[in-house]
Amino acid sequence: MGFFDVFKGMFGGGGGPKKSGSGNPAPVKKKKPKKIDLEKRFDMHSRTGQGSMSRVWRAYDRTLGRTVCLKILDKEKTAKFEARFVGRKKPPEGDICMDLQHPNIVRTYEWGYSTKGEPYLVMELIEGTGLNFQVETRSPKLKGHEVEVLAQLADALDYLHKKKFLHRDLCPRNVMMTHEGVVKLIDFGLTIPFTPEFCQPGNRTGTPDYLAPEIIRRQTTDQRVDLFALGVTAFEVFTGVLPWERSADSQQSLQKRINSPARDPRDVWPDIPDNGRKFLIKAVERDPKDRFQTASEFKQAVLALKAT
């Protein structure tokens, strides 16, 4: 059985949520967030990462009796971000993460607030490395498995969109790969509900190199902003470089993405197969209607590269 066959088996079948008598999924009753003393409950071994709004620790949970990933959010920066959605019922990151259960999405066990008022999340500890590291080092673990990695990531995104959420910060830095080759989408700090009120113009958040042109222009958005970010990620995974070169000035970089087409993949990979070149060009089209419309469509297209 090959590498890809293993993943096909993992994702086939499986039980869904329990149904109520009407045939609809039974409503999930959300528990009131806990408030705990993090220092008493967790033995924080080492820092595994730090974002602009959080600190992430490898920690031993004395209550659960196991080593976990502990994410502690900066309460002031989190409050400032949440304030952008005043008047709209945006669920906190903890509620969003607890609602997501997919083999290619990091599992969240619990969330709440520390005695200092900091939001925290207790998550599975992923033993592996970031996709950004794999790309930057041109890791042998990635070479030859690009299709499988991107197909798994598309599965995670497809599930997220069907759950009516937009990730809004998909990039290699927010993707982990376990030592066994399983892809895990992480960091839902900028995730928003996929509803008209949250897709209105103006929400210009995310990692700059992966922002879709419609976000840069502050236009109405939809699932295709995540598809664009997935396309940029695919471009990097296959070629090792971004589709648009960075400029010294960040605004120039953003304007370049609006005004100029992406570089031709052949410029950095002269022997790229024609179907691979067409796939990457479509994945990063500036006009939303010209790129892949759904994660499922993206997955079918990337799997077709394997078949040829």
Side-chain angles (χ1 to χ4, degrees), residues 195-241:
T195 60
E197 62 178 330
F198 284 96
C199 294
Q200 294 174 6
N203 181 13
R204 198 177 183 180
T205 54
T207 303
D209 287 329
Y210 304 84
L211 293 181
E214 56 267 36
I215 296 178
I216 299 172
R217 294 190 180 103
R218 298 187 187 276
Q219 297 173 335
T220 300
T221 57
D222 57 27
Q223 79 283 352
R224 291 173 294 186
V225 299
D226 282 347
L227 268 296
F228 181 86
L230 180 59
V232 176
T233 297
F235 203 103
E236 281 189 283
V237 165
F238 278 112
T239 70
V241 299

Side-chain angles (χ1 to χ4, degrees), residues 240-251:
V241 299
L242 290 163
W244 285 270
E245 289 187 35
R246 292 191 184 100
S247 299
D249 181 86
S250 59
Q251 287 301 315

Side-chain angles (χ1 to χ4, degrees), residues 16-304:
K18 292 183 179 180
K19 306 251 179 180
S20 62
S22 63
N24 296 318
V28 177
K29 185 176 181 181
K30 290 185 170 59
K31 296 180 180 179
K32 186 177 181 180
K34 299 180 179 181
K35 195 168 187 178
I36 64 171
D37 186 326
L38 297 178
E39 294 181 0
K40 286 185 178 181
R41 175 169 166 182
F42 296 96
D43 181 7
M44 301 179 200
H45 296 307
S46 58
R47 189 81 66 84
T48 62
Q50 180 163 345
S52 59
M53 294 171 59
S54 63
R55 308 183 310 279
V56 183
W57 295 84
R58 181 189 184 100
Y60 181 75
D61 187 336
R62 297 186 179 97
T63 298
L64 298 179
R66 61 182 169 186
T67 302
V68 298
C69 178
L70 176 65
K71 181 177 182 179
I72 306 172
L73 281 63
D74 184 296
K75 62 180 180 180
E76 294 179 356
K77 291 180 179 179
T78 300
K80 186 176 180 180
F81 174 69
E82 299 290 346
R84 297 184 181 195
F85 305 100
V86 65
R88 286 175 275 180
K89 295 181 179 180
K90 181 189 176 300
E93 180 181 353
D95 267 352
I96 293 172
C97 291
M98 290 290 288
D99 197 30
L100 303 176
Q101 296 187 36
H102 187 275
N104 297 122
I105 291 178
V106 62
R107 180 72 184 274
T108 299
Y109 303 128
E110 174 191 317
W111 83 279
Y113 294 94
S114 73
T115 50
K116 298 177 182 178
E118 303 163 306
Y120 74 88
L121 291 87
V122 182
M123 302 176 291
E124 67 172 310
L125 181 67
I126 301 171
E127 299 287 3
T129 55
L131 182 58
N132 57 329
F133 176 81
Q134 302 282 349
V135 170
E136 291 163 9
T137 62
R138 303 310 294 160
S139 170
K141 292 182 179 180
L142 182 61
K143 187 173 179 60
H145 300 302
E146 296 91 345
V147 166
E148 291 91 336
V149 167
L150 292 168
Q152 290 181 70
L153 192 50
D155 272 337
L157 204 55
D158 184 55
Y159 170 83
L160 187 68
H161 292 167
K162 287 176 178 175
K163 294 288 289 186
K164 293 300 179 184
F165 291 113
L166 300 181
H167 190 278
R168 288 298 297 256
D169 199 18
L170 193 155
C171 59
R173 176 175 52 83
N174 287 333
V175 178
M176 293 289 293
M177 286 180 60
T178 72
H179 296 313
E180 295 74 31
V182 179
V183 169
K184 297 277 188 176
L185 180 61
I186 66 171
D187 199 341
F188 296 84
L190 300 184
T191 297
I192 58 174
F194 185 9
T195 60
E197 62 178 330
F198 284 96
C199 294
Q200 294 174 6
N203 181 13
R204 198 177 183 180
T205 54
T207 303
D209 287 329
Y210 304 84
L211 293 181
E214 56 267 36
I215 296 178
I216 299 172
R217 294 190 180 103
R218 298 187 187 276
Q219 297 173 335
T220 300
T221 57
D222 57 27
Q223 79 283 352
R224 291 173 294 186
V225 299
D226 282 347
L227 268 296
F228 181 86
L230 180 59
V232 176
T233 297
F235 203 103
E236 281 189 283
V237 165
F238 278 112
T239 70
V241 299
L242 290 163
W244 285 270
E245 289 187 35
R246 292 191 184 100
S247 299
D249 181 86
S250 59
Q251 287 301 315
Q252 288 182 2
S253 294
L254 295 179
Q255 287 300 316
K256 187 183 298 183
R257 203 167 318 145
I258 293 175
N259 299 321
S260 307
R263 71 172 101 201
D264 192 320
R266 289 179 301 192
D267 294 342
V268 290
W269 183 6
D271 298 327
I272 184 173
D274 189 55
N275 62 341
R277 174 177 175 269
K278 290 178 180 177
F279 167 80
L280 291 180
I281 289 175
K282 181 172 182 176
V284 294
E285 284 286 1
R286 290 171 294 164
D287 190 326
K289 72 177 187 298
D290 294 331
R291 72 182 74 123
F292 293 107
Q293 302 297 290
T294 66
S296 177
E297 182 188 0
F298 177 98
K299 180 184 177 181
Q300 291 175 6
V302 78
L303 289 179

